[in-house]
Amino acid sequence: MSLRLSRFVGHRGIAAEAPENTLTGFRLAAEAGFLWVEFDVMLSADDVPVLHHDEELGRTDNGSGPVAVHPLSALKALDAGSWFGPGFAGERIPTFEETIACCRALGLSMNVEIKPTTGREVRTAELVSDMLNDLCPDLTDRIIVSSFVPDCLRIAQEKAPDFLRGYLSDTMAEGWHGAAKDLGCFSVHPNHACLDAGLVTAIHDAGFRILTYTVNDPERAESLIGWGVDAVITDEPLAAAALA
Ligand code: G3P
Ligand code: MG
């Protein structure tokens, strides 16, 4: 399989310019020139994969309480745009299925981060894997499935083996290499704060590509790219324009 990474990946769509994890965010990311976007997937109470970063509603919408106790109908009634700006009023929390269709139509490749709420790790990974197999068998060269939760990557490895996996890590603590290898990962996705030139070389020497998050400072992006990282996940369209 030949997967073509781009140097920049729009984080949660294009989080500096549009409400995160929304279809408008993906449209604006595409308009800004991004070829890849990252987004976060968790389950509604009735087991529908939806896009949301936080376990709790409230920061990025006008809801309250855990996402996991709200059925899709309740999540769809929320306004996920006004918090960001009045021009985004009425934006809805998208389902994973709607997001796949949107990104497909826009020609965007997808970094699907499985971001389960506590206790729903297995079910989230199973349903995301099923949906990838059902809806995207033709997009295996345009999707990377990542997670901070090794169990989610293990389930993706078992249930959706045709899709590439990325090992997300905030610290790159000892053991990352064995874990990423056992999970058959294509890439490692470290927090940029834990990277230096030596670690970039070590990750590449171990056979993994590197997508690092979340880099909004153009100088930092330039350093990371100079060390050889394959992609920088960023909220900022300006970074992409400056370094494209
Ligand atoms: O996938 C990269 C990045 O999104 C991981 O952190 O918390 O922004 O989902 P977070
Ligand atoms: Mg994420």
Side-chain angles (χ1 to χ4, degrees):
M1 177 197 315
S2 68
L3 175 139
R4 182 176 297 189
L5 278 172
S6 59
R7 189 150 284 177
F8 295 96
V9 176
H11 187 229
R12 307 180 196 169
I14 184 168
E17 296 282 304
E20 65 187 52
N21 288 321
T22 65
L23 299 186
T24 294
F26 300 128
R27 185 173 53 75
L28 293 181
E31 284 178 17
F34 283 96
L35 300 176
W36 277 81
V37 287
E38 184 267 4
F39 51 81
D40 307 294
V41 184
M42 61 181 59
L43 293 184
S44 67
D46 47 351
D47 273 359
V48 181
V50 297
L51 268 58
H52 208 266
H53 179 272
D54 302 357
E55 290 211 15
E56 296 279 326
L57 297 168
R59 181 179 62 84
T60 57
D61 44 61
N62 60 347
S64 63
V67 173
V69 305
H70 290 78
L72 181 65
S73 57
L75 296 176
K76 278 291 185 189
L78 299 176
D79 180 336
S82 290
W83 69 277
F84 194 86
F88 298 96
E91 190 73 35
R92 299 295 159 195
I93 292 173
T95 63
F96 181 38
E97 183 168 357
E98 289 166 344
T99 300
I100 290 169
C102 174
C103 289
R104 183 191 282 280
L106 291 166
L108 286 169
S109 297
M110 293 170 254
N111 176 189
V112 179
E113 183 186 342
I114 304 177
K115 179 82 95 186
T117 56
T118 307
R120 317 259 7 241
E121 293 83 358
V122 170
R123 191 75 181 131
T124 308
E126 287 176 346
L127 289 171
V128 167
S129 299
D130 288 347
M131 214 166 260
L132 288 170
N133 289 331
D134 291 348
L135 300 177
C136 315
D138 58 324
L139 296 182
T140 53
D141 59 346
R142 295 180 47 185
I143 290 175
I144 300 174
V145 180
S146 63
S147 189
F148 287 108
V149 183
D151 268 354
C152 290
L153 292 175
R154 185 180 50 74
I155 289 163
Q157 182 181 25
E158 285 167 10
K159 289 191 68 97
D162 294 343
F163 291 86
L164 297 173
R165 288 170 299 285
Y167 181 84
L168 261 167
S169 175
D170 199 34
T171 59
M172 295 296 282
E174 202 176 335
W176 68 265
H177 184 184
K181 191 160 171 265
D182 289 348
L183 293 163
C185 289
F186 162 79
S187 49
V188 169
H189 300 204
N191 185 328
H192 78 92
C194 68
L195 282 180
D196 56 27
L199 185 52
V200 168
T201 301
I203 297 168
H204 276 153
D205 286 351
F208 304 104
R209 309 291 281 276
I210 303 170
L211 289 78
T212 187
Y213 71 92
T214 302
V215 185
N216 293 328
D217 172 9
E219 281 181 26
R220 179 66 175 163
E222 203 162 2
S223 297
L224 290 157
I225 289 164
W227 295 338
V229 304
D230 299 280
V232 164
I233 302 174
T234 179
D235 297 323
E236 291 281 352
L238 292 180
L243 293 162

